[in-house]
Amino acid sequence: MIETQKPLPPGQRRIGTFPRFGTHMSRPAPAVPPDPTIEVCGAVGERFHVPVVALATLPRREVRADFHCVAGWSATDLLWEGVPFESFFRQLIAPAVRDDAVVTHLVFRGIDGYQSTVMLEDALAEDVLIADRLSGRPLGGDHGAPARLLSPAQYGYISTKHLCRIEVHTSEPEDPDSASITARLLKSHPRARVWEEERHGSLPGRLVRPFYRVLKVPLLHLSARGPRR
Ligand SMILES: Nc1nc2c(c(=O)[nH]1)N[C@H]1C(S)=C(S)[C@@H](COP(=O)(O)O)O[C@H]1N2
Ligand SMILES: [Mo]
């Protein structure tokens, strides 16, 4: 039988597995508190907490998608399940937003301190989930327990694992380190759309490909290690 595989976005290569990857490097996945919640704060009247168990009671859907890391690997045909971010936003966040506020950006934060900034428009895309299941099983520590953002049309760095807080913003939040030289060199693209190859904040994606490619193998190796939870 001939299997035709879907094309990958520019500059990506298929990897046979779904590796654990991240700035956590070899540190183990963070401990999940006994009753995990997702805190919503920022341009909302008062901050509030959504228990992760409440995801089971919201509208749910499955998303089958490829996952693309900016370093150049793509894990293909993953089956995720969770709450569409759009439903989460419309049902829980929008009613709490201050009257005078127009939401433009969201910051998604993980228990490990990682965070990603996402434009509202990108976060509301129909394939974006707060995912709590992968391959028919609850999300494990490697891939973001107890729940993570999943935005398959954007590079993996947008998809914050171990989600514990969503900050609601009315303008692009400033990165406190953005003035440093390293921050400028490493500046990731704010939209990160994989089909546009938006890898870098100011350099064309094609140009930075080779740098990521050199780093990919050692980073894959480092991120994978460490005791599993
Ligand atoms: N909390 C947290 N989320 C994170 C990261 C991280 O280090 N910590 N790394 C990001 C990057 S760069 C990628 S490619 C994906 C990798 O997801 P995976 O480990 O499930 O493959 O997670 C993203 N979300
Ligand atoms: Mo990544």
Side-chain angles (χ1 to χ4, degrees):
M1 189 179 80
I2 300 170
E3 278 202 29
T4 42
Q5 293 181 315
K6 280 186 299 173
L8 293 178
Q12 293 298 114
R13 291 178 186 174
R14 189 172 275 101
I15 192 169
T17 55
F18 184 31
R20 176 179 189 241
F21 200 88
T23 55
H24 43 61
M25 294 296 175
S26 52
R27 282 191 300 279
V32 176
D35 297 304
T37 62
I38 300 168
E39 177 188 346
V40 180
C41 63
V44 286
E46 217 171 303
R47 66 183 62 218
F48 58 96
H49 292 257
V50 180
V52 170
V53 290
L55 297 176
T57 65
L58 290 164
R60 297 180 62 86
R61 70 173 282 197
E62 289 187 332
V63 168
R64 191 177 281 283
D66 298 346
F67 187 93
H68 311 286
C69 173
V70 74
W73 58 263
S74 295
T76 54
D77 209 28
L78 302 174
L79 181 63
W80 301 92
E81 199 196 302
V83 174
F85 182 73
E86 213 236 341
S87 309
F88 189 94
F89 185 81
R90 302 247 181 260
Q91 292 197 16
L92 300 174
I93 302 182
V97 169
R98 287 198 304 261
D99 282 345
D100 55 334
V102 178
V103 180
T104 61
H105 293 76
L106 301 151
V107 175
F108 293 86
R109 195 176 175 87
I111 303 173
D112 58 352
Y114 182 92
Q115 64 179 47
S116 63
T117 301
V118 189
M119 280 175 52
L120 181 65
E121 180 189 337
D122 292 333
L124 294 181
E126 81 168 349
D127 55 358
V128 176
L129 295 182
I130 296 183
D132 55 5
R133 296 178 71 83
L134 170 64
S135 312
R137 286 185 291 277
L139 208 54
D142 281 355
H143 295 298
R148 77 180 297 167
L149 185 69
L150 171 75
S151 179
Q154 296 178 285
Y155 288 115
Y157 63 79
I158 295 291
S159 293
T160 292
K161 302 191 278 188
H162 319 293
L163 183 63
C164 66
R165 190 165 85 197
I166 301 172
E167 270 171 40
V168 181
H169 288 264
T170 54
S171 62
E172 188 178 357
E174 242 189 84
D175 171 358
D177 307 321
S178 62
S180 76
I181 292 183
T182 39
R184 261 182 288 166
L185 278 174
L186 299 172
K187 191 175 162 24
S188 50
H189 196 286
R191 301 207 65 185
R193 290 170 298 181
V194 297
W195 289 98
E196 325 289 330
E197 205 175 357
E198 291 170 337
R199 289 182 203 271
H200 192 273
S202 45
L203 300 166
R206 288 186 63 89
L207 206 73
V208 294
R209 252 188 228 170
F211 294 96
Y212 286 116
R213 197 160 283 155
V214 167
L215 292 171
K216 181 174 78 175
V217 173
L219 287 180
L220 269 169
H221 194 68
L222 272 172
S223 306
R225 284 214 225 112
R228 301 291 162 85
R229 278 177 196 271

